[in-house]
Amino acid sequence: MEHEKLTLRLDTVERLLQQNFTDSKSKVNADAQKLVSYLLNIFISEAAGRAAQLAQLESTSNKVEVEHFEKILAQLLLDFS
């Protein structure tokens, strides 16, 4: 299976950041959007990889389920904090 490099659209990143601003006039510059997008891509890739490893270890099926993400989430968040 070939792995594609997925990236988040910059307008999506900006909207995610805007949701947490208290001042609606706040702006995010292009470099900050790129950096946050890069970090989110790393986080998402790591989460998917860990969930896939867990699914393979449990070998209950050939699919990654939500439960696999739930099981790896706590340690993932600690590793990224």
Side-chain angles (χ1 to χ4, degrees), residues 12-48:
T12 302
V13 173
E14 183 175 13
R15 274 190 247 135
L16 286 170
L17 292 170
Q18 287 284 343
Q19 288 179 351
N20 294 303
F21 291 157
T22 54
D23 184 1
S24 62
K25 295 178 184 175
S26 295
K27 300 288 181 196
V28 180
N29 75 22
D31 288 338
Q33 286 177 346
K34 289 176 188 173
L35 177 62
V36 171
S37 177
Y38 177 74
L39 293 173
L40 283 172
N41 281 321
I42 292 171
F43 184 82
I44 292 166
S45 296
E46 185 66 23

Side-chain angles (χ1 to χ4, degrees), residues 54 58 65-76:
L54 182 61
E58 291 181 349
E65 303 285 345
V66 173
E67 292 80 22
H68 297 116
F69 283 99
E70 290 172 346
K71 290 178 182 178
I72 60 98
L73 184 59
Q75 186 62 48
L76 180 70

